[in-house]
């Protein structure tokens, strides 16, 4: 039985056992909402509402935690604390002050508030820091009234992150103010295998989204990243192949060192629900055991990485090591991608790359030859493969003299990008 089968069986059991449902919000980068929706549906959760930059969904607490631990796409997962209908800032203060904050926060715990607006709320409220301040005042005044004391703010390393989302309701009457508890702490996209040093690495959840948007079949296709940089696409592909939950390194820290590596592990609502705590601890141990086995089952000669820069290759090796990927699983080489192809490889497979594209690295002019010559190499040496290029620059894209069969939009931070697919016959 693989890890996913176990997970599905447990979630059936849970839905029978747990009566109450909670509301969760999973955030993700722009244009990745569709993939996030697929992931949520894959967890058997159907009560969902798609928003810009994330998805609201309802499920029981344990299923919400399982989703957080398994999502490759979400940046963060939040649990709803309060939903308020307000007309203005004053209303926000008055309603928020009456909320039962002591149910989620102790006087000794620190907190931080972040506010996000939709487009309409942005033009009305304008300043998100000022709105966060109002919510902070409501929270501390609530505590002061009851205990004559208040919890402190910590913007660096808070015990509890709170998110306030202000949106215009469908009937345009007033504002919906949703207050959420950040269940993650550190963002889920920080898998924990990366060290800084490369100029333009892909964020891990974006890299996972790119791999999932190709037609790579982990059971039979080779995976070749010809400009692998620090190896993010390779590592995310290997995690997908092994069905390894992307948060596994944080799970490892919890199991081996009892580190509270996810914020929810120290949150009151979680600790007080003993049945959720018990199931979660068991599930974290299951993930840990599964990973030990899954990494050992990976086979050699499926994953190939190449880069022209030795420093990046060294970082890539370090990341593979940090990610627990055994030696020999990725065949690394140091070549110019405009000439490189791994010897003795045979289709089927996916040959992918995220070449430099000017904004962050080399100048555009120096890249034109790279794009053109790379396209020629694909044509000549990768017959029968499916080629993918992830880039932002339209002009550079045109230098590749190959027919594009698919264009998938993405954002890399604020940079609009495309994943382009080429058939290499
Ligand atoms: C945008 S970065 C890739 C980042 C990578 N996806 C990651 O997450 O770390 C582009 C990479 O292309 C490599 N590169 C540039 N020109 C190359 C060439 N001619 N052959 C091979 N690699 C090249 C650079 O060294 C750099 O590591």
């Amino acid at each position: 039985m693989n890890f996913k089968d176990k997970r599905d069986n447990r979630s059936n059991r849970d839905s029978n056992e747990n009566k109450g449902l909670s509301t969760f919000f999973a955030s993700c980068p722009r244009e990745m909402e569709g993939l996030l929706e697929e992931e949520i549906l894959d967890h058997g959760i159907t009560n969902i509402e798609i928003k810009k930059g994330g998805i609201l969904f309802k499920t029981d607490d344990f299923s919400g935690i399982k989703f957080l631990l398994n999502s490759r796409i979400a940046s963060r997962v939040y649990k709803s604390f309060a939903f308020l209908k307000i007309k203005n800032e004053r209303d926000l203060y008055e309603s928020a002050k009456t909320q039962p904050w002591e149910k989620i926060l102790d006087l000794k715990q620190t907190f931080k508030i972040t506010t996000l607006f939709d487009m309409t709320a942005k033009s009305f409220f304008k300043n998100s820091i000022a709105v966060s301040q109002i919510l902070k005042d409501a929270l501390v005044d609530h505590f002061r009234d009851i205990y004559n004391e208040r919890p402190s703010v910590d913007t660096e390393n808070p015990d509890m992150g709170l998110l306030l989302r202000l949106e215009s309701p469908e009937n345009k009457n007033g504002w919906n103010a949703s207050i959420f508890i950040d269940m993650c702490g550190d963002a889920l996209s920080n898998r924990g295998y990366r060290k800084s040093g490369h100029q333009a690495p892909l964020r891990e959840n974006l890299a996972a989204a790119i791999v999932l948007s190709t037609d790579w079949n982990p059971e039979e296709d080779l995976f070749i990243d010809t400009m692998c940089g620090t190896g993010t696409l390779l590592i995310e592909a290997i995690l997908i192949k092994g069905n390894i939950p992307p948060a596994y390194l944080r799970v490892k820290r919890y199991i081996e060192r009892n580190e509270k590596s996810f914020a929810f592990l120290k949150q009151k609502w979680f600790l007080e629900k003993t049945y959720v705590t018990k199931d979660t601890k068991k599930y974290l141990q299951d993930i840990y055991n599964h990973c030990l086995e899954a990494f050992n089952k990976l086979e050699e000669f499926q994953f190939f990485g190449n880069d022209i820069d030795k420093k990046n290759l060294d970082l890539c090796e370090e990341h593979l090591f940090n990610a627990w990927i055994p030696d020999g699983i990725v065949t690394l080489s140091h070549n110019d991608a405009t000439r490189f192809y791994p010897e003795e490889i045979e289709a089927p497979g996916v040959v992918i790359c995220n070449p430099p594209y000017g904004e962050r690295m080399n100048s555009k002019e120096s890249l034109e030859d790279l794009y053109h010559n790379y396209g020629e190499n694909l044509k000549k040496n990768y017959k029968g493969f499916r080629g993918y290029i992830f880039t932002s620059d339209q002009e550079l894209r045109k230098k590749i003299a190959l027919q594009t069969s698919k264009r998938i939009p993405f954002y890399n931070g604020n940079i609009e990008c495309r994943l382009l697919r080429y058939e290499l016959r």
Side-chain angles (χ1 to χ4, degrees), residues 276-318:
V276 179
T277 316
K278 195 166 142 259
D279 276 3
T280 303
K281 286 187 175 165
K282 164 99 181 55
Y283 191 68
L284 289 165
Q285 185 68 53
D286 283 353
I287 292 182
Y288 183 80
N289 298 345
H290 165 77
C291 290
L292 293 176
E293 260 177 56
F295 281 113
N296 284 330
K297 278 195 202 147
L298 292 169
E299 284 168 23
E300 294 181 356
F301 307 118
Q302 184 178 15
F303 297 95
F304 297 83
N306 174 73
D307 203 280
I308 202 166
D309 185 331
K310 183 72 177 66
K311 269 204 319 282
N312 291 344
L313 282 171
D314 288 346
L315 265 178
C316 179
E317 256 185 297
E318 206 176 323

Side-chain angles (χ1 to χ4, degrees), residues 49 236 266 364 382 410 423:
E49 193 183 327
E236 292 301 318
K266 39 185 183 182
K364 263 178 208 170
Y382 290 90
F410 279 101
E423 312 297 330

Side-chain angles (χ1 to χ4, degrees), residues 44-58:
I45 302 168
T46 49
N47 193 339
I48 64 178
E49 193 183 327
I50 303 174
K51 303 270 179 188
K52 258 212 167 82
I55 295 187
L56 272 175
F57 60 95
K58 278 195 174 49

Side-chain angles (χ1 to χ4, degrees), residues 85-88 91 125 167-169 171-176:
K85 288 273 191 195
I86 59 160
K87 293 216 167 355
N88 49 36
D91 253 11
F125 290 99
E167 289 171 307
S168 164
N171 65 9
K172 309 276 181 237
N173 191 4
W175 306 98
N176 290 345

Side-chain angles (χ1 to χ4, degrees), residues 67-305:
F67 174 75
L68 177 158
L69 294 170
N70 284 285
S71 175
R72 301 188 189 281
I73 303 297
S75 302
R76 286 177 187 276
V77 179
Y78 301 87
K79 179 173 155 70
S80 172
F81 167 60
F83 177 75
L84 317 173
K85 288 273 191 195
I86 59 160
K87 293 216 167 355
N88 49 36
E89 281 101 336
R90 185 76 222 160
D91 253 11
L92 172 66
Y93 174 84
E94 296 297 345
S95 306
K97 195 175 164 216
T98 62
Q99 298 305 310
W101 294 100
E102 64 283 4
K103 284 201 172 155
I104 58 161
L105 199 63
D106 272 341
L107 272 170
K108 291 198 171 44
Q109 287 182 308
T110 57
F111 69 98
K112 176 188 173 181
I113 296 173
T114 309
T115 298
L116 290 178
F117 300 133
D118 71 3
M119 289 310 276
T120 349
K122 198 175 187 169
S123 56
F124 180 84
F125 290 99
K126 298 198 170 68
N127 185 342
S128 62
I129 296 175
V131 174
S132 297
Q133 192 81 21
I134 292 168
L135 186 60
K136 181 217 81 180
D137 289 344
L139 184 159
V140 301
D141 289 350
H142 175 89
F143 275 97
R144 269 209 197 99
D145 284 357
I146 307 177
Y147 305 101
N148 224 4
E149 268 185 84
R150 52 156 285 190
S152 306
V153 171
D154 180 347
T155 51
E156 294 295 313
N157 194 14
D159 293 315
M160 159 104 36
L162 292 163
L163 171 70
L164 168 64
R165 277 178 65 92
L166 280 167
E167 289 171 307
S168 164
E170 265 175 34
N171 65 9
K172 309 276 181 237
N173 191 4
W175 306 98
N176 290 345
S178 313
I179 305 172
F180 293 97
I181 300 166
D182 174 12
M183 295 166 65
C184 303
D186 203 8
L188 294 175
S189 48
N190 294 338
R191 311 282 201 236
Y193 54 73
R194 193 129 99 180
K195 186 181 145 197
S196 61
H198 186 275
Q199 268 181 296
L202 288 171
R203 208 170 254 164
E204 294 92 316
N205 56 344
L206 172 60
I210 293 171
V211 176
L212 290 170
S213 300
T214 67
D215 63 343
W216 179 57
N217 176 353
E219 298 314 315
E220 54 185 43
D221 283 331
L222 299 183
F223 188 93
I224 306 166
D225 184 348
T226 52
M227 303 190 202
C228 67
T230 62
T232 324
L233 287 166
L234 283 163
I235 296 174
E236 292 301 318
I238 292 168
L239 300 184
I240 291 168
K241 159 93 185 178
N243 200 7
I244 292 162
Y248 69 108
L249 290 173
R250 279 157 83 167
V251 172
K252 180 174 184 278
R253 278 167 24 217
Y254 170 75
I255 299 290
E256 292 180 355
R257 297 190 237 142
N258 198 20
E259 199 183 303
K260 303 287 180 274
S261 45
F262 299 95
F264 72 80
L265 289 169
K266 39 185 183 182
Q267 288 171 354
K268 260 180 133 178
W269 68 267
F270 171 75
L271 296 170
E272 278 167 8
K273 288 194 173 170
T274 45
Y275 59 97
V276 179
T277 316
K278 195 166 142 259
D279 276 3
T280 303
K281 286 187 175 165
K282 164 99 181 55
Y283 191 68
L284 289 165
Q285 185 68 53
D286 283 353
I287 292 182
Y288 183 80
N289 298 345
H290 165 77
C291 290
L292 293 176
E293 260 177 56
F295 281 113
N296 284 330
K297 278 195 202 147
L298 292 169
E299 284 168 23
E300 294 181 356
F301 307 118
Q302 184 178 15
F303 297 95
F304 297 83

